[in-house]
Every structure is written in structure tokens, then in C-alpha cells.
């Protein structure tokens, strides 16, 4: 009978299963004889705990460690090991490390990840460099901020429509200077309504007034005449 011998690709490797409060880390290093020695430890996800993980991996000369991309829990440990010389962290896709059906625990998950890395059965996901990550976070934050502002403006427009104020029908931008001036002069229980709301302002900031263009024609909206400085 033929005996199948599986030769590990990575002799010193590890696997980590990260959670919100703790991380389970499994390492496999050469042991006595031909069998590898496996050890599992639990660490905290606080800064002190992550530093202990790094020191333990450096002490055992772990060259490669794999971890599952779980929410954002992987980022602190990945960035710490990325900056550590001699350790290559791998971010693994959860679809590629599905274990066999059965009882699922964090300890079994980290052991399974460690075995997959040891025999070269998984490949790491792409993680951009630090400069690209910072630029990506900045652009994503700006996109979310612009979307939040648009939602707030739409919410304000719907609120004004519910109260019977047709501000969006007479101005283009309900957050502009003219629209804010009109809203400031709207009736309120604390202040009496003024005799007339202020007229809107043009793009250059000049106050607009009503004046007839020609005799016999209705009045139209036109900029107020400016005085000559020599007069």
C-alpha cells in the first residue's frame, strides 16, 4: 500500500481567528521527529495583547501568518505585523477557508487556517500599501460626507413642503444665502412677521430690486443700480 506523505510548504507558520475582544492564534513549528508542534494561545485585542502576539510570533520565528477578513477586527493586528520585520501577514478571503461541516469554534478555526497556510492551499488577498490606504480612506470619507449633506438638504426640502413653505419652487438652492434670509424672516411664535421678506440676491451678491423695464410692461427682477463713486 502506498503511503501519501504531505510535505509542508511553510515550516513555521500561524493562523489567527480574530474577534471583538480576543484573538485565537495557532502556530505550527518543527517538533521532535517528523511531526510539527502545534500550540494555541488566546490574547486580548487591546494594544498590550497585540504586542504580546507579535513578541510571541517573533520568539518562535514565525515567517507567515494567515487571518480571516472579519469586519474591521483584522486591521490592528495586520498593520502591526506588517510593520514587523520577518513576519508576512496574509489576509484570507472567508470563502477560501471554509472548514468542513461540524462544530465550529474559534480554536478550530485558527488551527484550520494555520494548516491551510502550512500546505499552501490558500492565497492572500490584495491589501494596498499604506499611502494608498490613507488616500482611499480620505476619498471614501469625502464621498460619505457629500452624501450625508445631500440627504440633509433633501430632508429639509421635504420638511418645508410638509409645512406649506414652497421655498424650492422659487429658489434653486434652498441652502443659499437668499433662501436662508427668507427662512430667517418666516413667521414664528417668538417673533412677529415682518412687513415684507427680503428680496433674493444675485450671484455677485448684489441685492435685487423690482423696477419696470419699459413703460406699460410689468415689473421684472433686476439688479439695483450702483452709485458712481465720483457723484
Amino acid at each position: 500500500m502506498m503511503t501519501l506523505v504531505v510535505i509542508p510548504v511553510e515550516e513555521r507558520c500561524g493562523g489567527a481567528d480574530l474577534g471583538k475582544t480576543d484573538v485565537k492564534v495557532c502556530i505550527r513549528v518543527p517538533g521532535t521527529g517528523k511531526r510539527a508542534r502545534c500550540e494555541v494561545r488566546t490574547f486580548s485585542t487591546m494594544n498590550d495583547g497585540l504586542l504580546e502576539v507579535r513578541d510571541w510570533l517573533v520568539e518562535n520565528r514565525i515567517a507567515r501568518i494567515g487571518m480571516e477578513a472579519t469586519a474591521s477586527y483584522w486591521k490592528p493586528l495586520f498593520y502591526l505585523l506588517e510593520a514587523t520585520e520577518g513576519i508576512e501577514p496574509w489576509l484570507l478571503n472567508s470563502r477560501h477557508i471554509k472548514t468542513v461541516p461540524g462544530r465550529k469554534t474559534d480554536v478550530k478555526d485558527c488551527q484550520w487556517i494555520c494548516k491551510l497556510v502550512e500546505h499552501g492551499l490558500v492565497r492572500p488577498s490584495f491589501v494596498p500599501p499604506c499611502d494608498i490606504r490613507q488616500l482611499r480612506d480620505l476619498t471614501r470619507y469625502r464621498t460619505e460626507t457629500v452624501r450625508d449633506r445631500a440627504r440633509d438638504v433633501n430632508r429639509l426640502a421635504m420638511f418645508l413642503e410638509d409645512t406649506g413653505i414652497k421655498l424650492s419652487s422659487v429658489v434653486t438652492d434652498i441652502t443659499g444665502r437668499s433662501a436662508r434670509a427668507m427662512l430667517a424672516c418666516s413667521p414664528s411664535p417668538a417673533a412677529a412677521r415682518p412687513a415684507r421678506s427680503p428680496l433674493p440676491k444675485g450671484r455677485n451678491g448684489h441685492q435685487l430690486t423690482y423696477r419696470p423695464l419699459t413703460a406699460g410692461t410689468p415689473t421684472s427682477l433686476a439688479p439695483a443700480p450702483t452709485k458712481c463713486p465720483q457723484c
Side-chain angles (χ1 to χ4, degrees), residues 29-144:
V29 295
T32 57
K34 297 182 179 180
R35 300 188 62 179
R37 180 176 63 89
C38 179
E39 185 177 356
V40 180
R41 290 187 182 182
T42 303
F43 300 91
S44 173
T45 54
M46 299 296 181
N47 292 336
D48 294 340
L50 297 181
L51 293 176
E52 291 178 3
V53 175
R54 182 196 61 181
D55 297 340
W56 185 50
L57 296 178
V58 172
E59 180 183 354
N60 289 275
R61 295 180 296 171
I62 301 299
R64 183 174 299 164
I65 180 173
M67 62 189 70
E68 185 179 359
T70 305
S72 299
Y73 302 148
W74 60 273
K75 293 183 178 181
L77 181 60
F78 185 90
Y79 296 158
L80 177 63
L81 298 180
E82 184 184 29
T84 303
E85 185 179 359
I87 300 179
E88 182 183 5
W90 277 14
L91 183 65
L92 307 178
N93 193 336
S94 58
R95 296 182 179 180
H96 301 164
I97 57 177
K98 291 294 184 182
T99 183
V100 294
R103 185 177 178 86
K104 183 179 182 301
T105 60
D106 295 339
V107 175
K108 290 184 178 181
D109 286 346
C110 68
Q111 292 176 347
W112 177 251
I113 294 173
C114 186
K115 289 182 180 180
L116 294 178
V117 174
E118 180 185 14
H119 298 290
L121 299 177
V122 289
R123 58 181 181 179
S125 301
F126 172 72
V127 179
C130 181
D131 297 340
I132 304 300
R133 291 198 300 262
Q134 294 179 357
L135 179 61
R136 183 179 60 181
D137 293 340
L138 178 62
T139 54
R140 288 180 177 178
Y141 176 73
R142 182 184 182 279
T143 302
E144 292 296 329

